Amino acid sequence: TRNGGAGKEKALSNQEDLGGDRGMTDDIFDKSYCEKEGPKPARRYVWRNIVLMSLLHLGALYGLWLIPAAKPVTLVWGFLCFLLSALGITAGAHRIWSHRSYKASLPLRIFLAIANSMAFQNDIYEWARDHRVHHKFSETDADPHNATRGFFFSHVGWLLVRKHPDVIEKGRKLDMTDLRADKVVMFQRRFYKLSVVAMCFLFPTLVPWCFWGESLRNSFFLPAILRYVLVLNATWLVNSAAHMFGNRPYDRNINPRENRLVTFGALGEGFHNYHHTFPYDYSTSEFGWHYNFTTAFIDLMCLLGLASDRKKVSKETILARKIRTGDGSHNG
Ligand code: ST9
Ligand code: ZN
Ligand code: ZN
């Protein structure tokens, strides 16, 4: 019967769901939280961020305009920098450090922490804390980029205003012991500013300038500024577009959706209905390498012996869940 099926799924998901062996479960949605009643706190703009973000995006527009004047090898370099910094977010901050969905050896963690500084999206500890609270209290006042506050707020607006007090209150209660025990994470946090200057701005600029005589202007505005802004927006689209547009084959009761366009730009991170349903799955999707460069990268790292313990949800569990709570689209 239908009920029997659901019971069986529960038994199966109990082993996988709670990610017992990940050493943390604070990325699982917490139904018990209720938003406080009464008027919402006033929006407080952070003008420094508004000015800097605007200048940064103007710089990226200028970079777009410079593309025809750049050497082709500089564009290839910019693309490589995009991949590297994106992996620092997807394979690093997201799939290891926020969700513990696989294990990485020390050399791989060092590599991903350096790549993460290149992406300049706050240090790993802060990123993972905001991300855990996003999963645990999704689409509420305690979600830092609560998508019910609109596309702009969940995309970038949340970085331009003071946080809702519930984000901080709930965030402080999260279990972050695993990250505090990770020396790579703590080291990156301690030297964060310096590592960002070196990896996000100097390194991408100096390589084309020193090695193939690209002009300093093209070297700075393409692989550094334009590349940085593209990685930022590809990431932010997961919070905005992938919480609004797309199917919900796994759970029709939540907002996050399967969004192919976002998946493509974000190296496999747009299967967002799947990801919020099964946050501990290292692939953030049921389809392996399909549109998922990050999964291919992690699999390669396992092959090289640099990663292990990939958590994967079984096909039976996925199917049972689709039948029980999916929207019937079944097409990922
Ligand atoms: C950026 C981040 O872009 C992007 C993250 C995106 C996440 C995407 C997830 C999607 C899934 C994965 C897909 C990846 C796809 C990748 C594709 C790649 C191609 N818990 O922060 P403050 C404490 S960053 C607990 O100042 P305000 C905090 O510790 C871009 N505590 O809050 C502090 O306490 P204390 C560059 C928390 O004043 C106190 O609260 N960076 C939490 O409200 C105050 O903290 C920027 O633009 C928490 N969750 O200011 C800067 N949060 O004093 C952005 C805070 O004791 N940040 N606390 O230490 C800021 O300027 C500020 O944070 C603010 C809020 C203005 C936004
Ligand atoms: Zn989300
Ligand atoms: Zn996540």
Side-chain angles (χ1 to χ4, degrees):
T1 65
R2 191 67 177 263
N3 266 350
K8 187 165 167 240
E9 188 222 334
K10 200 155 193 347
L12 274 171
S13 63
N14 273 346
Q15 307 150 8
E16 287 168 343
D17 247 22
L18 317 155
D21 58 337
R22 289 183 304 153
M24 53 84 55
T25 51
D26 265 351
D27 55 355
I28 308 291
F29 185 68
D30 180 350
K31 289 196 235 2
S32 67
Y33 164 78
C34 288
E35 291 183 344
K36 297 191 180 84
E37 292 191 14
K40 304 275 183 201
R43 190 186 297 144
R44 285 185 295 147
Y45 294 104
V46 178
W47 288 103
R48 189 190 68 124
N49 290 13
I50 296 174
V51 169
L52 289 176
M53 252 330 154
S54 308
L55 286 177
L56 182 69
H57 281 72
L58 284 176
L61 282 179
Y62 181 55
L64 275 181
W65 189 69
L66 288 176
I67 287 179
K71 298 188 177 180
V73 55
T74 305
L75 302 180
V76 173
W77 170 247
F79 181 67
L80 274 178
C81 291
F82 178 95
L83 286 184
L84 203 60
S85 41
L87 281 175
I89 299 297
T90 61
H94 192 218
R95 299 192 197 181
I96 308 179
W97 284 302
S98 298
H99 295 300
R100 295 270 157 213
S101 68
Y102 70 102
K103 288 202 178 92
S105 62
L106 182 66
L108 180 57
R109 276 182 291 136
I110 293 174
F111 169 78
L112 288 172
I114 295 171
N116 183 272
S117 287
M118 194 169 187
F120 185 13
Q121 291 192 5
N122 299 333
D123 63 54
I124 295 163
Y125 185 88
E126 184 173 344
W127 201 103
R129 189 175 55 185
D130 275 345
H131 194 65
R132 285 179 186 180
V133 93
H134 164 66
H135 275 266
K136 191 165 182 183
F137 304 104
S138 205
E139 330 281 7
T140 70
D141 283 339
D143 175 351
H145 30 84
N146 176 5
T148 65
R149 292 177 70 175
F151 187 96
F152 187 79
F153 179 83
S154 55
H155 193 74
V156 56
W158 67 283
L159 293 165
L160 309 177
V161 296
R162 299 274 166 220
K163 283 174 170 160
H164 191 288
D166 285 14
V167 174
I168 295 169
E169 189 189 312
K170 290 291 172 188
R172 290 216 161 112
K173 295 194 181 118
L174 292 177
D175 180 6
M176 300 292 290
T177 44
D178 57 316
L179 293 185
R180 275 198 293 272
D182 189 325
K183 292 205 170 59
V184 176
V185 173
M186 290 298 115
F187 186 86
Q188 193 234 21
R189 186 164 164 83
R190 184 153 166 217
F191 295 103
Y192 189 60
K193 282 190 184 140
L194 196 69
S195 70
V196 162
V197 172
M199 289 310 301
C200 182
F201 299 108
L202 288 180
F203 177 60
T205 304
L206 292 180
V207 167
W209 186 64
C210 294
F211 288 102
W212 53 88
E214 180 59 274
S215 72
L216 207 50
R217 189 183 55 178
N218 290 350
S219 302
F220 179 68
F221 282 100
L222 289 163
I225 300 298
L226 178 59
R227 181 270 320 168
Y228 174 40
V229 166
L230 289 177
V231 175
L232 280 180
N233 281 277
T235 307
W236 297 342
L237 280 170
V238 179
N239 297 334
S240 53
H243 271 254
M244 285 171 197
F245 313 117
N247 294 328
R248 290 179 281 190
Y250 308 97
D251 193 339
R252 61 180 179 274
N253 306 309
I254 59 176
N255 261 334
R257 288 147 205 265
E258 304 289 285
N259 189 305
R260 223 164 263 248
L261 213 67
V262 173
T263 290
F264 181 73
L267 308 191
E269 299 281 20
F271 303 98
H272 212 50
N273 189 252
Y274 183 89
H275 177 56
H276 273 263
T277 309
F278 304 111
Y280 32 81
D281 190 312
Y282 88 100
S283 188
T284 71
S285 136
E286 65 168 308
F287 305 115
W289 292 8
H290 177 72
Y291 279 90
N292 209 325
F293 182 74
T294 305
T295 297
F297 173 81
I298 297 169
D299 290 345
L300 175 68
M301 292 302 115
C302 284
L303 206 68
L304 298 176
L306 291 166
S308 62
D309 272 303
R310 286 161 291 182
K311 309 278 178 278
K312 189 88 201 84
V313 181
S314 69
K315 283 283 175 203
E316 302 84 73
T317 303
I318 297 172
L319 187 63
R321 182 63 185 255
K322 277 181 170 176
I323 292 169
R324 188 163 63 87
T325 57
D327 66 2
S329 62
H330 278 245
N331 61 4

